[in-house]
């Protein structure tokens, strides 16, 4: 099959659907790759780069559409682009079928197969094709960069000769893919990060990234993420009021607010109201990643940077991913080539559009003169909420004591059995071995037993104490070996020298590893 990437017609869009590197992967699947001239220029990929990757460069969109079997785009296709396509061709792009019913009808009439990258099911097998997550990851990262560019101070706290600089306080609303990317970027820049999400189960993720989870003292029945494709479900009015109350408390303290609450196909919920903006300090920054659907901030203006009367900067750009065109194109190109790998299972360049496959069926919105959106629910549940762990029954003091006694008896019985078996073995060996051997053998066995018990009882998380113990044991080995080096036997001297060498390597290696591990917990 022949696959062609078109140049995006939206003003300012820098992404391209096929990059020189992803073209190589498509060619390994047996496909020939075409691209419209200049399609990758805004992302930093020249026509010559494509030619070096054995991609055929054509003059305009009409030539590409006429020459290929599969048309690849980033943005929602224009009406004119679909009407140029012929029956049997395949279109791969973002489509947003819920908002583009007329385009769906055009695709149906043209008899083309339309694959919406925004409709890829959120199941484990499809993560490599999840273009929404790829772009959200970039948007979350870029939102922090834009905030830093508009914020008048450092993000990290500093103590300098000229004075002390406190760290910036950043609140991230929503801990989805974009939110987690924003949290990670903010913490890496040294900011003091707070994060809120309506799903309390993400608190552990937030805290593991160095941010503080903003708890809301309000109980609401949890919803299964599968019902909303892995997104947070809409909240009740009571929960919303408690949420807004908490945000009003936080607003005067925050230097930067990044809002990411958005479910594809729905208007963005207003979470940061006008009075919250007015309560913020002059110079504060709000970055609204939901601006394209109305915005989470009441004062957001799509595609504009607004400065309020009290000096708060509100950024409502809708092209965060496009502002990192090269990186976004590489990730999106990889999403498409992974999808094409599923469409080309035999890697022979022949597309097998298997509508029984959950991923292919879920992303196909038009096929064979029919509108196939919305798709049926996938057979595999998408990001289903984990079942809560059963709480252990609290024991009474008497039950706990009885349990401890039983465990002690079991451990004592095990130790007595081992000692008895060891005594029998020593007795059997002593019947045939000379007395000099037995004295050394008993010391050896006791040393092994003591060493094993000492190291085995060290907690697995305490790696540094474990290193210290092994160093101590190695020191004993060195002392014993040094005492034997003065022996008259050349074999004993060689073995002693080897023991000193190997134990020395273990000791110095242990110190080096311990030093590196301790350095991981030290702030530079």
């Amino acid at each position: 099959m022949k696959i062609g990437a078109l140049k995006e017609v939206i003003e300012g869009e820098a992404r391209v659907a096929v990059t020189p590197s992803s073209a190589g992967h498509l060619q390994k699947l047996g496909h020939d790759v075409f691209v419209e001239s200049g399609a990758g220029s805004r992302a930093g990929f020249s026509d010559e780069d494509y030619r070096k990757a054995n991609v055929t460069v054509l003059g305009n969109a009409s030539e590409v559409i006429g020459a290929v079997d599969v048309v690849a785009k980033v943005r929602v296709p224009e009406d004119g682009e679909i009407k140029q396509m012929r029956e049997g061709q395949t279109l791969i792009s973002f489509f947003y079928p819920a908002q583009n019913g007329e385009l769906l009808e055009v695709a149906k009439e043209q008899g083309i197969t339309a694959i919406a990258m925004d409709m890829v099911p959120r199941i484990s097998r499809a993560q490599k094709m999840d273009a929404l997550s790829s772009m959200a990851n970039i948007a979350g990262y870029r939102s922090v960069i834009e905030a830093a560019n508009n914020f008048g101070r450092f993000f990290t706290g500093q103590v300098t000769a000229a004075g002390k600089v406190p760290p910036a306080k950043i609140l991230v609303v929503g801990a989805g893919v974009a939110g987690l990317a924003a949290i990670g970027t903010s913490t890496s820049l040294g900011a003091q990060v707070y994060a809120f999400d309506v799903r309390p189960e993400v608190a552990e993720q937030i805290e593991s990234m160095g941010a503080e989870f903003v708890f809301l003292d309000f109980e609401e029945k949890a919803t299964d993420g599968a019902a909303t494709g892995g997104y947070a479900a809409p909240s009740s009015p009571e929960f919303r009021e408690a949420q807004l109350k908490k945000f009003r408390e936080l607003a005067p303290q925050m230097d930067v607010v990044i809002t990411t609450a958005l479910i594809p196909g729905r208007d963005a919920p207003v979470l940061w109201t006008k009075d919250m903006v007015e309560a913020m300090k002059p110079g504060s920054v709000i970055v609204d990643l939901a601006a394209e659907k109305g915005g989470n901030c009441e004062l957001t203006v799509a595609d504009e940077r607004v400065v309020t009367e009290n000096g708060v900067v509100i950024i409502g750009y809708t092209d965060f991913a496009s502002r990192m065109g090269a990186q976004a194109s590489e990730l999106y190109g990889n999403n498409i080539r992974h999808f094409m790998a599923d469409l080309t299972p035999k890697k022979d360049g022949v597309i097998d559009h298997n509508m029984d496959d959950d991923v292919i069926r879920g992303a196909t919105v038009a096929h064979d003169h029919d509108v196939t959106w919305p798709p049926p629910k996938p057979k595999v549940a998408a990001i289903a909420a984990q079942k809560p762990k059963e709480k252990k029954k609290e024991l009474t003091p008497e039950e706990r004591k009885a349990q401890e006694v039983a465990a002690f008896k079991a451990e004592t019985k095990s130790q007595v059995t081992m000692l008895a078996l060891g005594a029998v073995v020593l007795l059997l060996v002593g019947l045939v071995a000379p007395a000099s051997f037995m004295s050394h053998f008993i010391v050896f066995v006791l040393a092994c037993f003591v060493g094993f018990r000492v190291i085995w009882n060290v907690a697995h998380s305490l790696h540094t104490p474990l290193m210290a113990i092994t160093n101590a044991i190695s020191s004993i080995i060195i002392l014993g070996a040094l005492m034997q080096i003065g022996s008259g036997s050349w074999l004993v001297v060689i073995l002693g020298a080897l023991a000193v060498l190997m134990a020395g390597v273990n000791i110095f290696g242990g110190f080096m590893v311990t030093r590196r591990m301790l350095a991981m917990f030290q702030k530079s």
Side-chain angles (χ1 to χ4, degrees), residues 455-503:
I455 293 177
W456 186 260
N457 287 326
V458 175
H460 296 296
S461 59
L462 301 178
H463 297 289
T464 300
L466 180 59
M467 294 291 182
I469 291 169
T470 56
N471 285 346
I473 294 173
S474 297
S475 300
I476 295 172
I477 294 172
I478 288 178
L479 288 174
L482 288 173
M483 292 176 66
Q484 297 299 321
I485 284 179
S487 172
S489 172
W490 63 270
L491 181 60
V492 174
V493 171
I494 291 174
L495 292 175
L498 289 174
V500 171
L501 175 63
M502 290 186 286

Side-chain angles (χ1 to χ4, degrees), residues 13-34:
E13 178 57 67
R15 292 172 292 178
V16 63
V18 176
T19 65
S21 61
S22 68
H25 292 285
L26 292 171
Q27 288 161 358
K28 289 178 182 178
L29 295 172
H31 302 294
D32 295 324
V33 184
F34 296 73

